Amino acid sequence: MGALRSRRSVLAVPASNPRFVAKARGLDADAFFLDLEDAVAPSEKEAARETVVTALNEGGWGGRVRSVRVNDASTPWAYRDVISVVEGAGAHLDCLVLPKTTSARDVHWLDTLLTQVERAAGLPVGRIGIEAQIEDARGLTEVDAIAAASPRLESLVYGPADFMASLNMRTLVVGEQPPGYDTGDAYHYVLMRILTAARAHGLQAVDGPYLQIRDVDAFRRSAGRTAALGFDGKWVLHPLQVAAANEAYAPSQEDYDHAERILDAYEHATTVDRRGAVMLGDEMLDEASRKMALVVAGKGRAAGMERTP
């Protein structure tokens, strides 16, 4: 499980549009997914699979996480999506995104099919990960079982638009509070539920997209809320959102440096001085401090940050 893969910004790329695929290679997103689901019309889905295979095999993606979002398990396209993409480009694929995951059974299905295709294609069994997208009330009620369903799982992804529809929310603006709701954050419970299930099972948690693509300030506010909770990143739909996401989900340089200093001081105290607690300036450090610092330092390292000399 790639717990330390950086997913600050996860770029959605319509698989049926070669121009968008080519442009995506030049963007500074941590990860991307070639989309065979919502971004592709039913009549174009078969041709889009070939575009995906070609795009993955041609390379040029650097060290980014390479994913493909297949159609959900209830559709007639899902099984052929998996077979075509993994047989055609499995060696250049890191994960499959499973949309509309409503139960552990959906993950079991994908895990089993992946194993069969990997064996038939001579690929290492278990290397390709799964990202489960939680998009409705049923998925949220089963999120703990989903998070525990397979060792292939790497992340849980919140799908806001479908989720809002499943609750009959009275709004058409994805990512903003529904009109008339003025007592807090209407999405806080959903986000914390997904985050808690993810962390309980060692997974990453990724926020869904913000659809007002040219309002970068609003995107920053949306990303900042879930980054503060502890989410690892957010889906981005437009190049303007990439830098904002990378900034929101990485620690500040000051926080990263401080976290690394805490780890150094605590290691010295426990291994050299053989003490269980230590002072760093006016700050008392203990084992809990070390765990908190590991989180911040881990996010910084995954984002490629370096300590200030």
Side-chain angles (χ1 to χ4, degrees), residues 9-36:
S9 54
V10 182
L11 179 66
V13 185
S16 59
N17 192 318
R19 182 173 64 87
F20 284 5
V21 172
K23 185 175 182 179
R25 287 188 174 90
L27 299 178
D28 195 28
D30 283 350
F32 69 91
F33 69 92
L34 299 169
D35 192 12
L36 291 171

Short mmCIF file of all heavy atoms in Angstrom, two decimals, residues 9-36:
data_model
loop_
_atom_site.label_atom_id
_atom_site.label_comp_id
_atom_site.label_asym_id
_atom_site.label_seq_id
_atom_site.Cartn_x
_atom_site.Cartn_y
_atom_site.Cartn_z
N SER A 9 -2.48 17.09 -5.22
CA SER A 9 -3.32 17.45 -6.36
C SER A 9 -3.46 16.22 -7.25
O SER A 9 -2.47 15.63 -7.66
CB SER A 9 -2.68 18.59 -7.16
OG SER A 9 -1.34 18.27 -7.52
N VAL A 10 -4.72 15.84 -7.51
CA VAL A 10 -5.01 14.67 -8.34
C VAL A 10 -5.80 15.16 -9.54
O VAL A 10 -6.97 15.54 -9.43
CB VAL A 10 -5.80 13.61 -7.56
CG1 VAL A 10 -6.04 12.38 -8.43
CG2 VAL A 10 -5.07 13.22 -6.28
N LEU A 11 -5.16 15.18 -10.70
CA LEU A 11 -5.74 15.79 -11.89
C LEU A 11 -6.67 14.82 -12.62
O LEU A 11 -6.27 13.70 -12.97
CB LEU A 11 -4.62 16.23 -12.82
CG LEU A 11 -5.03 16.88 -14.15
CD1 LEU A 11 -5.72 18.22 -13.90
CD2 LEU A 11 -3.81 17.05 -15.05
N ALA A 12 -7.89 15.26 -12.86
CA ALA A 12 -8.84 14.49 -13.66
C ALA A 12 -8.60 14.76 -15.14
O ALA A 12 -8.60 15.92 -15.57
CB ALA A 12 -10.27 14.86 -13.27
N VAL A 13 -8.43 13.69 -15.93
CA VAL A 13 -8.12 13.83 -17.36
C VAL A 13 -9.14 13.00 -18.16
O VAL A 13 -9.15 11.78 -18.05
CB VAL A 13 -6.70 13.34 -17.68
CG1 VAL A 13 -6.37 13.61 -19.14
CG2 VAL A 13 -5.67 14.00 -16.77
N PRO A 14 -10.00 13.63 -18.95
CA PRO A 14 -10.95 12.86 -19.77
C PRO A 14 -10.22 11.95 -20.75
O PRO A 14 -9.46 12.41 -21.59
CB PRO A 14 -11.73 13.95 -20.51
CG PRO A 14 -11.52 15.20 -19.71
CD PRO A 14 -10.16 15.08 -19.12
N ALA A 15 -10.46 10.65 -20.64
CA ALA A 15 -9.70 9.70 -21.44
C ALA A 15 -10.05 9.74 -22.92
O ALA A 15 -9.28 9.26 -23.75
CB ALA A 15 -9.92 8.29 -20.90
N SER A 16 -11.20 10.32 -23.26
CA SER A 16 -11.61 10.35 -24.67
C SER A 16 -11.06 11.56 -25.42
O SER A 16 -11.35 11.72 -26.61
CB SER A 16 -13.14 10.34 -24.76
OG SER A 16 -13.68 11.46 -24.08
N ASN A 17 -10.27 12.40 -24.75
CA ASN A 17 -9.76 13.62 -25.37
C ASN A 17 -8.24 13.60 -25.41
O ASN A 17 -7.57 13.97 -24.44
CB ASN A 17 -10.25 14.84 -24.59
CG ASN A 17 -10.01 16.14 -25.34
OD1 ASN A 17 -8.96 16.34 -25.94
ND2 ASN A 17 -10.98 17.03 -25.31
N PRO A 18 -7.63 13.17 -26.52
CA PRO A 18 -6.16 13.09 -26.60
C PRO A 18 -5.48 14.43 -26.34
O PRO A 18 -4.35 14.46 -25.81
CB PRO A 18 -5.92 12.61 -28.04
CG PRO A 18 -7.18 11.89 -28.42
CD PRO A 18 -8.28 12.65 -27.74
N ARG A 19 -6.13 15.54 -26.69
CA ARG A 19 -5.51 16.85 -26.46
C ARG A 19 -5.36 17.12 -24.96
O ARG A 19 -4.32 17.61 -24.51
CB ARG A 19 -6.36 17.95 -27.11
CG ARG A 19 -5.77 19.35 -26.96
CD ARG A 19 -6.57 20.35 -27.78
NE ARG A 19 -7.94 20.48 -27.30
CZ ARG A 19 -8.30 21.32 -26.32
NH1 ARG A 19 -7.39 22.08 -25.71
NH2 ARG A 19 -9.56 21.40 -25.95
N PHE A 20 -6.39 16.80 -24.19
CA PHE A 20 -6.32 16.98 -22.75
C PHE A 20 -5.27 16.04 -22.13
O PHE A 20 -4.57 16.41 -21.19
CB PHE A 20 -7.68 16.73 -22.11
CG PHE A 20 -8.67 17.84 -22.28
CD1 PHE A 20 -8.37 18.94 -23.06
CD2 PHE A 20 -9.91 17.79 -21.67
CE1 PHE A 20 -9.28 19.97 -23.24
CE2 PHE A 20 -10.84 18.81 -21.83
CZ PHE A 20 -10.51 19.90 -22.62
N VAL A 21 -5.20 14.82 -22.66
CA VAL A 21 -4.21 13.87 -22.17
C VAL A 21 -2.80 14.40 -22.39
O VAL A 21 -1.95 14.37 -21.50
CB VAL A 21 -4.39 12.51 -22.85
CG1 VAL A 21 -3.24 11.56 -22.48
CG2 VAL A 21 -5.73 11.87 -22.47
N ALA A 22 -2.54 14.92 -23.57
CA ALA A 22 -1.21 15.45 -23.88
C ALA A 22 -0.88 16.66 -23.00
O ALA A 22 0.25 16.79 -22.50
CB ALA A 22 -1.14 15.83 -25.35
N LYS A 23 -1.85 17.53 -22.79
CA LYS A 23 -1.61 18.72 -21.96
C LYS A 23 -1.34 18.35 -20.51
O LYS A 23 -0.54 18.99 -19.83
CB LYS A 23 -2.83 19.65 -22.04
CG LYS A 23 -2.63 20.97 -21.30
CD LYS A 23 -3.82 21.91 -21.51
CE LYS A 23 -3.58 23.24 -20.80
NZ LYS A 23 -4.70 24.18 -21.01
N ALA A 24 -1.99 17.29 -20.02
CA ALA A 24 -1.85 16.90 -18.62
C ALA A 24 -0.41 16.53 -18.28
O ALA A 24 0.03 16.69 -17.13
CB ALA A 24 -2.77 15.72 -18.32
N ARG A 25 0.35 16.03 -19.26
CA ARG A 25 1.73 15.64 -18.99
C ARG A 25 2.58 16.81 -18.52
O ARG A 25 3.56 16.62 -17.80
CB ARG A 25 2.35 15.03 -20.25
CG ARG A 25 1.86 13.63 -20.58
CD ARG A 25 2.69 13.05 -21.73
NE ARG A 25 2.36 11.66 -21.99
CZ ARG A 25 1.43 11.27 -22.85
NH1 ARG A 25 0.74 12.18 -23.54
NH2 ARG A 25 1.18 9.99 -23.04
N GLY A 26 2.26 18.00 -18.94
CA GLY A 26 3.07 19.16 -18.59
C GLY A 26 2.67 19.87 -17.33
O GLY A 26 3.30 20.87 -16.96
N LEU A 27 1.64 19.38 -16.63
CA LEU A 27 1.17 20.04 -15.41
C LEU A 27 1.86 19.47 -14.18
O LEU A 27 2.31 18.32 -14.18
CB LEU A 27 -0.35 19.89 -15.30
CG LEU A 27 -1.15 20.51 -16.44
CD1 LEU A 27 -2.64 20.27 -16.25
CD2 LEU A 27 -0.86 22.02 -16.56
N ASP A 28 1.93 20.27 -13.13
CA ASP A 28 2.70 19.91 -11.93
C ASP A 28 1.84 19.21 -10.88
O ASP A 28 2.04 19.39 -9.69
CB ASP A 28 3.33 21.18 -11.35
CG ASP A 28 4.43 20.86 -10.35
OD1 ASP A 28 5.05 19.79 -10.47
OD2 ASP A 28 4.64 21.67 -9.42
N ALA A 29 0.88 18.42 -11.31
CA ALA A 29 0.05 17.68 -10.37
C ALA A 29 0.83 16.51 -9.80
O ALA A 29 1.66 15.90 -10.48
CB ALA A 29 -1.22 17.18 -11.05
N ASP A 30 0.56 16.17 -8.52
CA ASP A 30 1.22 15.02 -7.90
C ASP A 30 0.76 13.71 -8.52
O ASP A 30 1.51 12.74 -8.57
CB ASP A 30 0.89 14.97 -6.41
CG ASP A 30 1.69 15.97 -5.60
OD1 ASP A 30 2.63 16.57 -6.16
OD2 ASP A 30 1.38 16.14 -4.41
N ALA A 31 -0.52 13.67 -8.92
CA ALA A 31 -1.12 12.44 -9.42
C ALA A 31 -2.15 12.82 -10.48
O ALA A 31 -2.55 13.98 -10.61
CB ALA A 31 -1.79 11.67 -8.27
N PHE A 32 -2.56 11.82 -11.24
CA PHE A 32 -3.61 12.06 -12.22
C PHE A 32 -4.42 10.78 -12.38
O PHE A 32 -3.97 9.68 -12.01
CB PHE A 32 -3.03 12.47 -13.58
CG PHE A 32 -2.28 11.36 -14.27
CD1 PHE A 32 -2.94 10.51 -15.16
CD2 PHE A 32 -0.94 11.12 -14.02
CE1 PHE A 32 -2.26 9.47 -15.78
CE2 PHE A 32 -0.26 10.10 -14.64
CZ PHE A 32 -0.94 9.26 -15.53
N PHE A 33 -5.64 10.91 -12.89
CA PHE A 33 -6.37 9.73 -13.31
C PHE A 33 -6.99 9.98 -14.67
O PHE A 33 -7.55 11.05 -14.92
CB PHE A 33 -7.42 9.29 -12.28
CG PHE A 33 -8.60 10.22 -12.12
CD1 PHE A 33 -9.77 10.03 -12.86
CD2 PHE A 33 -8.55 11.26 -11.22
CE1 PHE A 33 -10.85 10.87 -12.71
CE2 PHE A 33 -9.64 12.11 -11.06
CZ PHE A 33 -10.80 11.91 -11.80
N LEU A 34 -6.82 9.03 -15.55
CA LEU A 34 -7.47 9.05 -16.86
C LEU A 34 -8.87 8.50 -16.65
O LEU A 34 -9.05 7.38 -16.15
CB LEU A 34 -6.68 8.20 -17.84
CG LEU A 34 -5.24 8.66 -18.09
CD1 LEU A 34 -4.46 7.62 -18.87
CD2 LEU A 34 -5.21 10.01 -18.81
N ASP A 35 -9.87 9.29 -17.01
CA ASP A 35 -11.25 8.99 -16.63
C ASP A 35 -12.01 8.27 -17.74
O ASP A 35 -12.19 8.81 -18.83
CB ASP A 35 -11.98 10.28 -16.26
CG ASP A 35 -13.30 10.03 -15.57
OD1 ASP A 35 -13.56 8.86 -15.18
OD2 ASP A 35 -14.08 10.98 -15.40
N LEU A 36 -12.46 7.05 -17.44
CA LEU A 36 -13.33 6.32 -18.34
C LEU A 36 -14.79 6.39 -17.93
O LEU A 36 -15.65 5.86 -18.64
CB LEU A 36 -12.91 4.83 -18.37
CG LEU A 36 -11.57 4.52 -19.04
CD1 LEU A 36 -11.19 3.06 -18.80
CD2 LEU A 36 -11.64 4.82 -20.53
#
